Amino acid sequence: MSLLKVNNIHAYYGNIHALKGVTIDVNEGEIVSLIGSNGAGKTTTLRAISGLMSLREGSVEFEGEDIANYASHDLVGRGIAMVPEGRGVFAKMTVMENLELGAYTRNDADGIKQDLERILELFPRLAERKTQISGTMSGGEQQMLAMGRAMMAQPKLLLLDEPSMGLAPILVELIFDTVKELNESTGTTILLVEQNAHMSLQVSHRGYVLQTGEIVTQGNAKDLQQDESIKKAYLGIE
Amino acid sequence: MNKELTTIDWQKLARYGLLWGVAAVYVSVIGMIESFSGRSIINNTLTLAQVLLFIPPIAAGYMIVNRKEIMPQDRNSVLMGGAAVGAISSAWVVLLIIVQGAIPGIRNVFINVSPALIEVLTFGLGFAGVFIYVAVTAVLGLIGASVHLLPDRGRRAVYNVVLTLLIAGAFGEIFTQVLRPLVGNVVVRALYTGGALNLVAAVVLVAIAGGLGWYRQENQARYEAFRGEIGTPRQKQVYQYQVAIGIILLLILPWIVGRFLSDVMVTIGLFIMMGLGLNIAIGMAGLLDLGYVTNYAVGAYILGILTTVPPDGSGYGFSFWIILPLCLFGAMSIGFVFGLPVLRMRGDYLAIATLGFGEIIRILAISEWLEPLAGGAQGVLYIPKPEIFGISFSNPQQLYYVVFAGCALVLYVSWRLNNSRTGRQWMAMREDEDVAQAMGINLVRTKLLAFTISAAAGGLAGGMFAAKLGTIFPTSFNILVSINVLSLIIVGGIGSIPGVIVGAIFLIGTPELLREFVEYRLLIYGAVLVWMMLARPEGLIPSAVRKRELKSGVDSL
Ligand SMILES: Nc1ncnc2c1ncn2[C@@H]1O[C@H](COP(=O)(O)OP(=O)(O)OP(=O)(O)O)[C@@H](O)[C@H]1O
Ligand SMILES: [Mg+2]
């Protein structure tokens, strides 16, 4: 069943036509990759989905409902959580305070406590650093925190914007493993935006390729990994 | 530059001393020294002017020791460097003395270079005083530097002594008044003559303060041991007693300290309320509001207009108690309305916009358009004192209780907010608006809430201010009020509730008590703020969060 339906959306920054009719479908329980090079419009797409960007044309439906009806901050309660590009942890707060803010929209104290424990289990690195000031953690740890914090909202759909950006290769692998584990252990649907096409397609079920504001290819992750043109353009394989 | 110095770099040392010397000559030329020379700290021995003159050499001596690129850290260099830098710091003052002797017309340019000033600078000894001045500064520089050579407990004793002497001496007039009814005239006369400490009393005080500083560790250990002995439940009880005694003391304070000090405390109380209010906007929500005077003015005018009883019988004459809540809601509404247009602004832009709001209110108050209501430049007169069940709160000692209640209320609300969901919402917004929104925080509502609640405290203070004075004029509501409130927050520690209280006592209380300061108020604020930013950017009593930020090295604001 389709959880998120992005229908032919157009978005502009002033005169710049950033999205030229993007259509994406994400089914429940899936990990879907959205890959593309710098400036392709990946972040813009996520901003459009999370209501931070007004659409000139097209619509975004979540659970069959047009989300144009919701203010951006209401989407969290509705089930969409986003980890913004560049992580965006509250640098001056502790790890715990960050995680608690993730559950801001929830009122079930017991449920929050349970989720907190589960997330600290999923991210053992955070468990060791509960009282550390987030801004002093390494890039990889901050990414974990941002993901854990988003999970605290109990989202149905998690939007990740380039989680591997600027991380050492070994950490990149760890992050993608965690993404996969999140999806498998909690059943959370994930839309994963990445430039690292190789790694993201490996953990995804399906993928879309975005080029200057347009979807140029889509399909099964396995098939995309074999696709000659994609290999050339994004996987660095001649 | 990691090479250890083996000898003093004299050239750098001289430059350092001359730099500090500028401070001494500056306070002389602007007239501060002369006006401070009237206040004795120790009778016939030390005046406030001398203290001010002594600060540069002491500070130069004290601080140069930390400059590893100027001097090595061994004992002889420290002593020698301290004395030298102290003596060098006197150069400009010596030059001033010589120049004014040589060029009698200098007063046409520097009007404050008066014979009285020169008398202070030369210890009344004429030109020979110059040599004494140089010698004294050398000794002071030496003292400043040698503080570093003392053991920890010695240093604490020195700080104690200096602070005690300054407070006991500078506020002598007040202590005389307060102590006389408490301990009797005989004791007071033994301590003070004409508001200045007697030399003997000063020596005794030095001994006591020094001793307490020296033995503080032992005393503290004894107290800890005592606490350990009595066990946790009793500890709690003791704490409760302490709090109870503190509150009782605060309640009887006006009757102990008398009318004048009560009046000062009322003013401090008004600024505590405003400080706590502004702290909600700046400290908790990160909204730099430079127009806080708006709320003060709104509260004052609402109360003034609605309670005034002019002799011609034209006023509304409502009761203070009915209108006071209206001041609160009035200020909140204005806070809300002014919040709307600036919702999208951040940082500097927000600061400039709010600065404008403060001016708008002042100009409105003085305008012809609102004259029928607000009285234009005449202001609002005949505002009666609060009264309830036949008890009138007419003098400062009684008004104190009204302000006390107001402070208690604002304090309680601040404290609750700080630990609430709303408080965390503000904290998140302060750090990163975009991410806060991604957490599901409604930015519009959160910001408006901060502006509105912050304004409430200002309205309350404004209403009480109007009742206290009995008359209000537009000139009372200028940008200086906003600057005062902002300064006291910064000095106390942004975001820290106890900091606001200490900041208000320090910044508002001192100029009220030492009249000499009033004229130089802004200069002193400026100096204190610059010094704070350099030496203690987190404020006197930093909030837990700030302290953490600064310690962890995550850049703030
Ligand atoms: N605020 C803005 N104002 C104007 N143009 C913008 C703005 N943000 C993005 N753009 C433009 O929109 C296009 C898409 O940008 P977007 O940030 O979505 O790219 P991206 O695919 O996320 O790239 P990257 O991988 O570098 O993050 C780019 O051409 C970019 O220059
Ligand atoms: Mg991007």
Side-chain angles (χ1 to χ4, degrees):
Chain A
M1 201 201 95
S2 165
L3 184 67
L4 177 77
K5 257 179 148 55
V6 177
N7 298 323
N8 188 34
I9 56 172
H10 289 256
Y12 290 78
Y13 291 106
N15 289 328
I16 303 169
H17 197 171
L19 299 182
K20 306 165 187 162
V22 172
T23 301
I24 296 173
D25 257 312
V26 182
N27 297 323
E28 227 172 306
E30 270 186 324
I31 303 181
V32 173
S33 287
L34 178 61
I35 53 185
S37 52
N38 283 113
K42 307 182 294 293
T43 300
T44 309
T45 308
L46 286 193
R47 285 172 58 85
I49 294 173
S50 53
L52 290 166
M53 193 84 207
S54 56
L55 303 177
R56 196 70 70 85
E57 237 178 87
S59 68
V60 179
E61 282 173 34
F62 181 67
E63 294 184 309
E65 200 177 348
D66 193 340
I67 60 158
N69 305 327
Y70 289 92
S72 169
H73 55 259
D74 285 334
L75 288 176
V76 185
R78 195 74 182 68
I80 302 180
M82 171 151 93
V83 176
E85 197 171 5
R87 321 193 217 299
V89 299
F90 293 110
K92 295 173 200 163
M93 297 189 196
T94 64
V95 169
M96 279 302 264
E97 283 166 341
N98 264 283
L99 291 175
E100 277 159 16
L101 268 165
Y104 171 78
T105 49
R106 295 170 59 184
N107 288 317
D108 53 326
D110 291 339
I112 292 176
K113 217 173 142 199
Q114 274 174 18
D115 278 2
L116 194 61
E117 275 164 26
R118 217 179 36 164
I119 282 163
L120 288 177
E121 240 168 71
L122 251 152
F123 299 96
R125 287 219 186 190
L126 298 184
E128 295 159 15
R129 300 183 145 71
K130 280 188 213 166
T131 57
Q132 187 170 343
I133 304 290
S134 318
T136 63
M137 296 201 305
S138 77
E141 287 159 357
Q142 288 188 25
Q143 184 62 49
M144 304 262 181
L145 177 57
M147 279 161 52
R149 187 183 59 190
M151 290 304 293
M152 285 298 292
Q154 266 188 331
K156 294 171 189 149
L157 174 66
L158 181 62
L159 308 173
L160 297 175
D161 195 350
E162 299 203 39
S164 76
M165 188 167 69
L167 298 182
I170 182 146
L171 277 175
V172 171
E173 210 158 313
L174 182 62
I175 292 285
F176 282 110
D177 285 346
T178 316
V179 169
K180 201 172 165 88
E181 200 179 332
L182 272 183
N183 170 259
E184 280 168 3
S185 70
T186 64
T188 311
T189 310
I190 296 173
L191 177 57
L192 176 59
V193 161
E194 264 298 339
Q195 280 195 54
N196 189 336
H198 177 63
M199 292 291 291
S200 63
L201 285 174
Q202 246 176 18
V203 298
S204 301
H205 301 104
R206 294 189 299 116
Y208 290 82
V209 177
L210 190 63
Q211 216 171 61
T212 53
E214 283 171 292
I215 301 288
V216 288
T217 320
Q218 66 181 79
N220 263 328
K222 290 261 155 27
D223 300 342
L224 288 178
Q225 273 176 302
Q226 300 309 318
D227 189 304
E228 287 304 320
S229 62
I230 293 178
K231 269 189 184 172
K232 245 191 215 156
Y234 301 102
L235 302 177
I237 304 164
E238 288 295 322
Chain B
M1 269 309 297
N2 286 330
K3 193 168 57 97
E4 284 284 313
L5 283 177
T6 50
T7 54
I8 297 174
D9 185 336
W10 290 105
Q11 205 181 345
K12 278 188 187 154
L13 180 137
R15 239 182 290 158
Y16 197 78
L18 288 177
L19 216 57
W20 272 105
V22 172
V25 86
Y26 180 73
V27 291
S28 307
V29 170
I30 62 168
M32 240 170 141
I33 293 297
E34 192 185 336
S35 88
F36 280 27
S37 66
R39 189 172 288 270
S40 288
I41 303 272
I42 302 171
N43 209 11
N44 294 330
T45 312
L46 187 70
T47 65
L48 194 58
Q50 284 164 340
V51 171
L52 198 60
L53 275 178
F54 292 168
I55 291 176
I58 295 181
Y62 180 78
M63 287 178 42
I64 200 168
V65 177
N66 292 330
R67 294 300 199 86
K68 298 211 164 53
E69 78 277 14
I70 298 181
M71 55 187 292
Q73 309 292 307
D74 64 283
R75 189 155 170 247
N76 284 340
S77 308
V78 166
L79 293 178
M80 204 157 62
V85 84
I88 291 170
S89 79
S90 68
W92 301 113
V93 169
V94 170
L95 194 68
L96 180 72
I97 296 170
I98 295 170
V99 166
Q100 76 79 41
I103 315 170
I106 193 168
R107 273 203 83 180
N108 297 330
V109 186
F110 296 107
I111 47 170
N112 286 312
V113 183
S114 61
L117 169 69
I118 300 302
E119 199 179 318
V120 175
L121 294 179
T122 55
F123 302 91
L125 295 172
F127 194 73
V130 169
F131 299 104
I132 299 190
Y133 187 80
V134 176
V136 168
T137 50
V139 170
L140 291 170
L142 182 93
I143 292 174
S146 58
V147 168
H148 290 280
L149 300 175
L150 291 172
D152 267 353
R153 46 168 48 199
R155 226 173 301 163
R156 207 155 30 222
V158 171
Y159 295 146
N160 256 11
V161 164
V162 170
L163 216 64
T164 312
L165 269 191
L166 278 184
I167 292 175
F171 300 112
E173 270 173 30
I174 291 149
F175 281 117
T176 315
Q177 279 171 31
V178 172
L179 289 177
R180 188 168 287 136
L182 290 179
V183 296
N185 211 1
V186 181
V187 181
V188 170
R189 252 188 301 175
L191 287 171
Y192 289 103
T193 307
L197 275 174
N198 291 327
L199 191 54
V200 180
V203 171
V204 174
L205 262 185
V206 167
I208 295 175
L212 283 179
W214 187 266
Y215 288 112
R216 206 183 91 174
Q217 260 157 355
E218 282 85 342
N219 289 336
Q220 216 155 21
R222 222 170 290 155
Y223 180 68
E224 289 300 324
F226 164 73
R227 275 169 58 91
E229 255 167 53
I230 59 176
T232 321
R234 283 282 306 281
Q235 268 175 31
K236 239 189 195 151
Q237 220 176 343
V238 168
Y239 177 72
Q240 281 164 354
Y241 281 137
Q242 283 170 343
V243 171
I245 291 173
I247 291 176
I248 291 172
L249 258 181
L250 276 177
L251 284 177
I252 57 172
L253 201 55
W255 307 98
I256 303 176
V257 300
R259 210 169 262 215
F260 170 65
L261 267 191
S262 299
D263 192 54
V264 174
M265 289 195 299
V266 166
T267 307
I268 293 176
L270 293 177
F271 275 88
I272 290 179
M273 272 185 253
M274 286 197 280
L276 289 171
L278 185 59
N279 187 46
I280 290 174
I282 297 185
M284 299 192 197
L287 303 168
L288 188 49
D289 180 352
L290 295 187
Y292 199 72
V293 65
T294 313
N295 310 309
Y296 196 46
V298 168
Y301 270 97
I302 289 179
L303 192 109
I305 291 166
L306 293 179
T307 64
T308 176
V309 258
D312 63 1
S314 62
Y316 296 102
F318 287 111
S319 154
F320 171 84
W321 305 102
I322 295 172
I323 303 304
L324 197 60
L326 265 187
C327 299
L328 221 132
F329 291 122
M332 285 169 90
S333 321
I334 298 288
F336 182 85
V337 171
F338 277 1
L340 285 174
V342 297
L343 276 174
R344 299 214 164 274
M345 297 184 184
R346 296 176 193 186
D348 340 8
Y349 299 102
L350 177 68
I352 292 168
T354 52
L355 196 64
F357 292 150
E359 280 302 283
I360 290 175
I361 283 291
R362 193 181 59 82
I363 289 165
L364 274 182
I366 212 166
S367 68
E368 249 169 66
W369 178 53
L370 280 181
E371 192 169 348
L373 205 58
Q378 322 278 259
V380 183
L381 312 174
Y382 308 110
I383 304 167
K385 294 285 185 270
E387 212 185 275
I388 196 164
F389 307 131
I391 309 166
S392 155
F393 294 87
S394 50
N395 67 37
Q397 278 160 311
Q398 296 157 333
L399 272 172
Y400 173 87
Y401 293 101
V402 178
V403 173
F404 184 83
C407 284
L409 174 73
V410 180
L411 204 61
Y412 178 74
V413 172
S414 284
W415 174 66
R416 286 302 302 261
L417 280 173
N418 208 9
N419 302 309
S420 69
R421 192 177 150 81
T422 311
R424 276 200 300 279
Q425 223 167 292
W426 284 334
M427 217 209 265
M429 183 174 75
R430 191 186 80 188
E431 274 211 27
D432 192 324
E433 292 194 358
D434 298 328
V435 185
Q437 194 171 14
M439 297 297 102
I441 291 170
N442 182 340
L443 288 183
V444 170
R445 220 187 48 200
T446 308
K447 262 192 200 179
L448 284 178
L449 197 67
F451 276 123
T452 311
I453 296 185
S454 157
L460 193 65
M464 291 181 181
F465 172 72
K468 170 187 180 253
L469 280 196
T471 50
I472 45 176
F473 303 107
T475 45
S476 314
F477 305 103
N478 55 33
I479 184 177
L480 278 182
V481 176
S482 305
I483 292 179
N484 278 343
V485 181
L486 181 64
S487 307
L488 75 88
I489 294 185
I490 294 174
V491 167
I494 292 175
S496 150
I497 292 172
V500 169
I501 297 171
V502 171
I505 292 174
F506 183 61
L507 277 197
I508 307 301
T510 314
E512 295 284 335
L513 295 179
L514 297 175
R515 280 171 323 255
E516 295 91 337
F517 273 73
V518 174
E519 200 178 328
Y520 303 101
R521 187 182 205 142
L522 287 179
L523 176 71
I524 294 169
Y525 276 18
V528 168
L529 286 179
V530 169
W531 173 74
M532 289 293 299
M533 289 302 110
L534 291 174
R536 256 189 103 97
E538 72 274 33
L540 290 175
I541 306 187
S543 71
V545 180
R546 282 280 143 157
K547 218 181 332 188
R548 228 169 44 186
E549 284 165 14
L550 284 159
K551 214 165 70 190
S552 66
V554 179
D555 57 332
S556 62
L557 240 74

